[in-house]
Amino acid sequence: MTSPAFITTPIYYVNDRPHIGHAYTSTICDVWARASRLVGRDVFFLTGTDEHGSKVEKSATARGILPQALADENAAEFQRVLATFGLTNDDFIRTTQSRHIDQVQEFLRRLMATGDVYLGTFEGWYDEGQEEYHTENKARELNYQSAISGKALIRATEQNYYFRLSAFADRLAKHFADHPTFVRPTERANEMLGRMREGLQDVPITRTNFSWGIAMPDAPGHVVYVWIDALLNYITALGLGMPQAGGLGSPQAKRAKYWPADYHVVGKEILWFHAVIWPALLMALKLPLPKCVYAHSFWIADGKKMSKTLGNFVDLPTIERYTATYGLDAWRWYMSTQGPLGTTDADFNGKHFHETYTNDLVNTVGNCPSRVGAMIGKYFGGKLPADAQAGGEWPSRCDAATAKWEQCMEVFDLSGAARCAMDLLRQVDVMINDTEPFKLAKDPANTPRLSSILNQCAQTVRIAGVMLEPFLPQRMEELAKAFGGMPGKDINWSARKKYGAISDGHAIEKVALFPRVDATAISQAV
Ligand code: ME8
């Protein structure tokens, strides 16, 4: 499995401060990127900021600064957050960078040349907050109000360049039919298909009523609609539109090997852009389509939609209180195992966070290696005893677990992958409870049996730890050091997942990975 892998987050608007939504999508992409690197894939993990559009222009004007200054300030904040979260993105694209702007213009020239973009007059309803146009039908359905902000939609007439989306209806329907996992979860694909059946309208892709955007080539006064600009980031970051690299989609283009993306991970509210408009644009550009657009649902807080006015917004200071109290790994764990990866929203609440931490991380991931390490310390002087039974059932159990983990990761079932490791640790706990090594240790005649049991426990714990690395990178590094030493950089996945890798007599250290946290600690941390 050495194939290139490409995963993307949405690029975030710079007129907002980073919050749980951004941290969530970025974290789950990071887990997948780490897992894919672990199995030996050549991964490119992309994130960045979406910096153009009237919203940014307005926020900047309100603060009396230039849009670029606002963008610089908030892009820096997003980058700082990525660093403190230890995210392993390979690039951070900003849509105000010239590498992006030049390629967007190149792509638009190309779309003009193919006839997929034309000049026309638009009349319709505009959601200013979302920078999204609606048809009469849709606007009526929305009661002429934004579904997101509740603000009145604006009647707008503009001469604009249009993207001929209507011409792609059949090809899109066929693509959905031929690739049942193109959009996941399936329910979301069906929503998209339903909306497509209502008919596809051409999309205005330039604006003339503001200037903070990429100039439409050869069309003075027109700036590229922020969504078209933003979607193209996924291929400008790979240099697919770099003329000097041989032109569009050329195999010589830098990083071209990463296209098409394995996963565009997005929130459900921006799925239409990614599942319908983006593939049509790619078809028009004669580029391959991403393998999967994964639309997750939303975090809500304490049972309610998060909102700044309700004061239940899980903002950066709140997240930082959690990471300071429970550790970064605990935050990652909660995000990736309890998050809204399916079609229902997930509720963020402190009590649930605490329970998840205690049950999964303290009582299982922390406790099991600590018990095993302590017993090897006590009964065998901290050296791994030999196993005359060659693992018994454990090698096949571990193989089955790692195989299942690989499958789960491939389909972005992060909590399923986490469960593979947790189940192994729980089985180790069951073996310890059933065989009662502390009783066996009382009689030297039991030493061979005790040796086998503890060897099997340690070998299995090591493998569970490897599977947990993408989720809990900090603590699992400690575990790996304590159970067999840290592998060298060049050690490959088949060696890392192989049962029995810790040799007899190797030092096994006692580890304390996840300390118990007082249930009231979060409310006290201000
Ligand atoms: O939409 N729960 O940027 P954005 C989970 N610039 N995830 C959430 C969330 C929540 N409550 N709130 C936000 C944009 N998100 C465009 C994208 S892409 C070419 C352009 C996450 O700053 C989720 O991933 O509004 C959502 O799609 C993204 O933040 C929206 O970020």
Side-chain angles (χ1 to χ4, degrees):
M1 261 208 275
T2 52
S3 55
F6 183 32
I7 185 161
T8 68
T9 73
I11 49 172
Y12 304 115
Y13 284 131
V14 282
N15 55 342
D16 208 357
R17 313 284 308 228
H19 57 66
I20 186 175
H22 311 125
Y24 174 62
T25 313
S26 302
T27 300
I28 59 177
C29 288
D30 185 68
V31 169
W32 191 86
R34 286 177 188 261
S36 303
R37 289 190 199 104
L38 184 60
V39 301
R41 291 187 74 181
D42 170 8
V43 177
F44 197 77
F45 166 22
L46 178 68
T47 187
T49 38
D50 189 355
E51 307 189 358
H52 289 127
S54 61
K55 267 204 279 190
V56 176
E57 195 175 65
K58 276 189 188 150
S59 309
T61 310
R63 277 187 50 197
I65 57 173
L66 290 172
Q68 187 66 61
L70 177 73
D72 289 348
E73 189 180 300
N74 279 353
E77 176 72 351
F78 273 100
Q79 277 170 300
R80 184 188 71 77
V81 171
L82 290 182
T84 56
F85 277 69
L87 299 183
T88 58
N89 52 302
D90 296 285
D91 197 356
F92 187 97
I93 188 157
R94 300 182 52 189
T95 55
T96 56
Q97 289 167 332
S98 59
R99 61 162 170 164
H100 175 74
I101 295 170
D102 293 349
Q103 292 181 73
V104 167
Q105 291 179 328
E106 167 75 17
F107 284 126
L108 284 160
R109 274 191 208 102
R110 164 91 183 214
L111 291 169
M112 287 292 288
T114 59
D116 292 301
V117 165
Y118 64 93
L119 190 63
T121 305
F122 170 81
E123 235 196 296
W125 296 95
Y126 186 55
D127 178 337
E128 268 194 313
Q130 291 303 103
E131 312 224 12
E132 189 173 2
Y133 276 95
H134 295 297
T135 58
E136 184 62 42
N137 280 351
K138 179 74 186 175
R140 196 178 316 124
E141 209 177 279
L142 292 171
N143 207 14
Y144 302 97
Q145 285 176 343
S146 165
I148 308 293
S149 67
K151 288 200 187 131
L153 299 179
I154 293 170
R155 187 78 193 155
T157 312
E158 253 185 80
Q159 241 219 348
N160 284 317
Y161 285 88
Y162 280 80
F163 172 55
R164 216 178 282 283
L165 182 63
S166 57
F168 292 88
D170 293 346
R171 274 176 280 175
L172 285 168
K174 183 168 176 355
H175 190 80
F176 272 69
D178 292 347
H179 302 87
T181 55
F182 173 57
V183 169
R184 291 185 44 216
T186 311
E187 294 86 336
R188 299 270 179 241
N190 291 335
E191 279 171 23
M192 293 298 114
L193 282 165
R195 231 176 119 178
M196 280 195 270
R197 273 186 224 109
E198 289 169 15
L200 289 180
Q201 315 251 335
D202 291 351
V203 187
I205 61 154
T206 61
R207 294 284 182 275
T208 51
N209 56 353
F210 68 95
S211 59
W212 184 238
I214 298 180
M216 176 74 177
D218 314 315
H222 285 263
V223 298
V224 178
Y225 175 34
V226 64
W227 264 104
I228 302 299
D229 166 355
L231 287 166
L232 287 167
N233 94 85
Y234 301 130
I235 53 176
T236 61
L238 300 182
L240 296 196
M242 277 178 11
Q244 68 271 30
L248 284 180
S250 100
Q252 302 95 300
K254 204 176 153 212
R255 301 171 174 174
K257 64 177 171 183
Y258 295 110
W259 191 258
D262 293 63
Y263 284 106
H264 287 316
V265 183
V266 298
K268 61 183 175 182
E269 87 288 14
I270 57 173
L271 182 57
W272 179 256
F273 294 101
H274 285 83
V276 177
I277 297 177
W278 178 229
L281 275 174
L282 288 165
M283 285 173 179
L285 291 166
K286 300 190 175 46
L287 287 170
L289 268 45
K291 292 173 207 157
C292 180
V293 179
Y294 199 113
H296 62 69
S297 301
F298 274 175
W299 279 104
I300 56 172
D302 298 323
K304 294 186 214 84
K305 185 174 189 294
M306 286 194 295
S307 91
K308 286 181 184 144
T309 35
L310 280 179
N312 65 346
F313 216 87
V314 183
D315 56 8
L316 197 54
T318 311
I319 298 173
E320 283 169 344
R321 265 196 295 137
Y322 276 88
T323 55
T325 309
Y326 293 94
L328 189 54
D329 281 358
W331 172 263
R332 293 173 64 89
W333 184 256
Y334 192 68
M335 290 293 101
S336 40
T337 65
Q338 307 297 318
L341 213 45
T343 48
T344 37
D345 290 341
D347 191 22
F348 185 93
N349 88 57
K351 187 163 175 277
H352 185 228
F353 189 107
H354 182 82
E355 284 166 6
T356 306
Y357 175 77
T358 306
N359 293 338
D360 291 351
L361 300 185
V362 179
N363 294 346
T364 307
V365 184
N367 191 46
C368 178
S370 145
R371 282 170 103 183
V372 173
M375 288 190 287
I376 294 174
K378 192 161 168 197
Y379 309 133
F380 297 97
K383 303 267 188 270
L384 186 74
D387 174 15
Q389 294 172 2
E393 290 172 9
W394 290 98
S396 61
R397 275 188 198 164
C398 289
D399 283 352
T402 51
K404 180 86 196 297
W405 177 96
E406 286 169 25
Q407 285 164 10
C408 289
M409 282 298 185
E410 234 171 275
V411 299
F412 216 84
D413 176 6
L414 303 186
S415 55
R419 230 173 3 253
C420 295
M422 296 299 279
D423 287 349
L424 269 188
L425 293 175
R426 291 200 181 101
Q427 288 176 47
V428 169
D429 274 335
V430 167
M431 170 156 80
I432 297 173
N433 294 346
D434 288 354
T435 58
E436 300 184 307
F438 27 90
K439 287 193 184 151
L440 293 176
K442 290 187 179 135
D443 182 351
N446 294 327
T447 302
R449 173 123 200 272
L450 183 63
S451 301
S452 287
I453 291 168
L454 291 181
N455 183 301
Q456 291 164 11
C457 289
Q459 305 288 4
T460 305
V461 162
R462 185 195 68 80
I463 290 171
V466 173
M467 288 192 278
L468 291 173
E469 276 174 22
F471 300 92
L472 309 167
Q474 293 180 338
R475 295 287 93 83
M476 291 307 102
E477 187 176 332
E478 281 176 44
L479 179 63
K481 276 186 196 144
F483 277 63
M486 266 309 271
K489 282 247 176 293
D490 50 344
I491 187 157
N492 62 29
W493 171 236
S494 48
R496 292 216 65 202
K497 69 178 175 179
K498 196 170 160 45
Y499 184 88
I502 323 174
S503 44
D504 295 349
H506 201 291
I508 301 290
E509 286 155 29
K510 191 166 181 255
V511 273
L513 298 171
F514 294 99
R516 216 161 269 288
V517 171
D518 184 323
T520 61
I522 263 294
S523 50
Q524 284 162 4
V526 188

